[in-house]
Amino acid sequence: MSTSLPPKFDITRPEIERVVREFYALIRVHPGLGPVFAVHVQDWETHEAKVADFWANAILHERSYDGSPMEAHVKAGNVRPGMFDPWLGLFDRVLRAELRPEQAAAWSELARRIGRSLRAGVVERETLPGGVPKLR
């Protein structure tokens, strides 16, 4: 009897890898997000493989990802709360272009839940008690 969990929705590892590849192709040329990533990513192929592992873990329950997205985004030092909406907009654009509508909708919802968590982590570190912005 298998103890593995079923995927959160119907998608294959190659489809995940294709979405990640297409997404980062757009990120690299995005005027606002491209420079943020360029500071940290020198090897795009390795970065994309790690992100594909993250999504395969989150969706397919693979155990190929070892890392902390929250820690990575906070440690980056240049990720700001206002960047999440453009990021999600680009991601949704790729999902709609590359996947069937039901796949795109399911992955988008998962990405938005994760994005809310990451945004909260960044916002909490960027504000003082009472929501007052830190002005460094």
Side-chain angles (χ1 to χ4, degrees):
M1 183 170 141
S2 175
T3 59
S4 63
L5 295 169
K8 288 195 166 118
F9 55 89
D10 179 34
I11 195 165
T12 65
R13 176 69 186 229
E15 288 171 315
I16 290 171
E17 291 169 354
R18 185 178 74 235
V19 165
V20 169
R21 186 175 54 252
E22 294 301 320
F23 173 69
Y24 282 108
L26 290 179
I27 284 289
R28 285 194 286 278
V29 298
H30 189 276
L33 298 174
V36 173
F37 280 85
V39 170
H40 304 287
V41 180
Q42 286 73 47
D43 181 350
W44 284 98
E45 191 173 311
T46 299
H47 179 73
E48 290 169 15
K50 184 170 187 156
V51 173
D53 284 347
F54 167 79
W55 285 116
N57 181 61
I59 299 167
L60 302 176
H61 306 289
E62 288 185 6
R63 294 293 169 232
S64 52
Y65 178 76
D66 181 26
S68 167
M70 180 67 74
E71 182 180 327
H73 287 86
V74 170
K75 192 170 145 185
N78 65 344
V79 177
R80 300 291 176 254
M83 295 175 179
F84 288 95
D85 286 339
W87 186 100
L88 287 167
L90 274 181
F91 198 66
D92 280 345
R93 181 171 139 195
V94 172
L95 293 175
R96 287 190 306 271
E98 297 296 327
L99 300 174
R100 295 186 317 271
E102 66 276 7
Q103 291 172 305
W107 195 348
S108 177
E109 177 53 36
L110 179 59
R112 288 177 183 285
R113 283 197 315 264
I114 291 169
R116 282 191 295 272
S117 175
L118 289 174
R119 182 186 290 134
V122 171
V123 169
E124 287 170 10
R125 286 169 176 79
E126 294 295 320
T127 58
L128 298 168
V132 177
K134 286 183 185 176
L135 299 178
R136 296 190 204 259

